Amino acid sequence: MFINYDYYRVFYYVAKYGSFTQAANVLMDNQSNITRTINNLETELGCELFVRTNKGATLTPDGEKLLVHVKKAADELQMGEDEISSGKGLESGDITVSVSETALHGLLLNVLHNFRRQYPGIKIRLLNFSTTQAISSLHSGMSDLAIVTSPTGSAKPLQETRIKTFSETLVCGTEFSDMKYKRLGFADLQSYHFICLGRDTKTFEFYNKLFTKEDLVLSPDMEAATTDQLLLMVKNNLGLGFLPDMIARPAIESGEIMELKFEDPIPKRYICLLKNTEHSLSAAAKEFEKAVLAERD
């Protein structure tokens, strides 16, 4: 059975006010249209829903049964409207952000701190993804935004905005103290145990291009799944590795690892904001995007 849903809307207001006239006033319609709609609904359902009197309209037993279900639907719709309305006012809302470790340490923690103070009612879900995984999450609609490091390799419909630059530092554990004053280049790294992020990461792609420019092959002795893993491996003297400065610096200053002199220039990298232009952002996500963009160098 297919019944015009507007019939139920009219039924709800007539039942709510017990009056065809008052329902017409609330719905900004005339009484004859309201009466016609209820008559049509009763015909479709094959029962009488109201008892009409000079004092108004009262529900029949069938009308009371129907109202139980219609009221639930009306309440759900009202809750939906309230949720959207409060979201527009940024009193509530949900945001899902894909973020890489470097982007989290180098940018997002500060943004989250300020954003949470300003909009405490908005819930934020972080997905710890590599750049490649983050891009997939944007295409699938799993994430509203992604904050990752270059190179992203993104293409339309994704839009990339560079937010902040960062440098990387060659580091080693304390057992490599004899190397502290050496000046190293890419060729030298092939003589030592070298640790890099995995081959499926954009960081591996970044360093592979640098090695290739020097007619060298990037063949790390160990591959780490995350930057935090790489830091732990260096701390435990498993080899040399490049780390984002904001992650390496605290460990260098505490004496847990050492910074090495590297003569070949390492191009600066970027923390980038990505979004899918084919997917619309909620009011909360738009405000979060503004907060990230405000951090641009």
Side-chain angles (χ1 to χ4, degrees):
M1 180 184 296
F2 178 80
I3 297 177
N4 189 328
Y5 287 113
D6 197 49
Y7 288 3
Y8 292 113
R9 175 168 166 267
V10 173
F11 165 79
Y12 173 76
Y13 280 96
V14 174
K16 180 177 181 179
Y17 295 105
S19 167
F20 284 69
T21 302
Q22 196 166 348
N25 291 335
V26 171
L27 295 170
M28 293 182 288
D29 204 344
N30 59 62
Q31 186 173 334
S32 61
N33 285 340
I34 298 299
T35 301
R36 186 181 305 110
T37 297
I38 296 300
N39 289 340
N40 290 341
L41 180 59
E42 290 177 329
T43 299
E44 292 282 351
L45 294 175
C47 65
E48 189 171 317
L49 299 172
F50 293 99
V51 176
R52 284 84 160 168
T53 68
N54 292 333
K55 294 183 179 180
T58 58
L59 288 165
T60 65
D62 285 330
E64 290 177 348
K65 292 177 183 177
L66 181 62
L67 180 61
V68 172
H69 301 284
V70 172
K71 187 177 185 305
K72 287 181 181 178
D75 290 344
E76 285 292 327
L77 289 170
Q78 185 62 53
M79 288 172 61
E81 291 177 0
D82 291 344
E83 185 173 330
I84 292 173
S85 178
S86 62
K88 288 181 178 178
L90 298 174
E91 297 169 6
S92 65
D94 295 276
I95 309 169
T96 300
V97 182
S98 294
V99 60
S100 67
E101 287 176 291
T102 301
L104 179 66
H105 289 283
L107 173 72
L108 194 57
L109 287 175
N110 183 58
V111 173
L112 288 171
H113 177 74
N114 295 329
F115 192 84
R116 289 290 293 165
R117 290 177 62 185
Q118 190 171 2
Y119 305 110
I122 294 177
K123 297 179 181 179
I124 302 172
R125 180 186 180 212
L126 297 184
L127 302 178
N128 184 17
F129 279 166
S130 67
T131 297
T132 302
Q133 292 170 327
I135 287 175
S136 295
S137 75
L138 287 176
H139 283 299
S140 67
M142 182 188 301
S143 301
D144 299 305
L145 299 165
I147 303 175
V148 293
T149 55
S150 65
T152 66
S154 62
K156 292 182 178 180
L158 300 188
Q159 181 183 92
E160 175 184 322
T161 304
R162 290 178 174 179
I163 304 298
K164 191 174 182 180
T165 59
F166 68 94
S167 301
E168 294 198 302
T169 304
L170 182 64
V171 292
C172 67
T174 54
E175 289 184 6
F176 293 85
S177 57
D178 60 313
M179 297 180 60
K180 187 172 183 179
Y181 300 103
K182 292 183 178 180
R183 298 187 65 86
L184 303 174
F186 283 113
D188 298 309
L189 296 181
Q190 297 187 319
S191 302
Y192 298 95
H193 291 298
F194 181 63
I195 309 169
C196 187
L197 290 184
R199 297 172 187 271
D200 58 343
T201 66
K202 291 294 181 179
T203 294
F204 187 96
E205 178 184 314
F206 174 79
Y207 280 102
N208 189 47
K209 288 182 178 178
L210 295 181
F211 271 75
T212 301
K213 285 182 180 179
E214 300 295 324
D215 294 322
L216 300 169
V217 176
L218 174 56
S219 181
D221 298 278
M222 301 185 74
E223 295 181 18
T226 66
T227 305
D228 283 344
Q229 280 186 10
L230 201 158
L231 174 59
L232 285 172
M233 294 163 79
V234 170
K235 283 182 179 180
N236 283 276
N237 301 292
L238 297 178
L240 285 58
F242 287 99
L243 282 170
D245 193 63
M246 82 284 289
I247 293 176
R249 193 56 49 189
I252 292 172
E253 292 175 354
S254 68
E256 295 177 278
I257 62 175
M258 297 184 301
E259 181 177 3
L260 298 175
K261 300 182 188 309
F262 197 71
E263 62 183 14
D264 292 329
I266 304 296
K268 288 187 179 296
R269 298 176 67 186
Y270 299 90
I271 297 174
C272 305
L273 172 68
L274 299 178
K275 69 176 181 180
N276 191 333
T277 57
E278 291 184 344
H279 297 166
S280 59
L281 295 176
S282 65
K286 287 180 180 177
E287 197 64 24
F288 191 81
E289 179 188 22
K290 289 180 184 177
V292 174
L293 292 173
E295 298 291 319
R296 276 181 291 190
D297 287 340

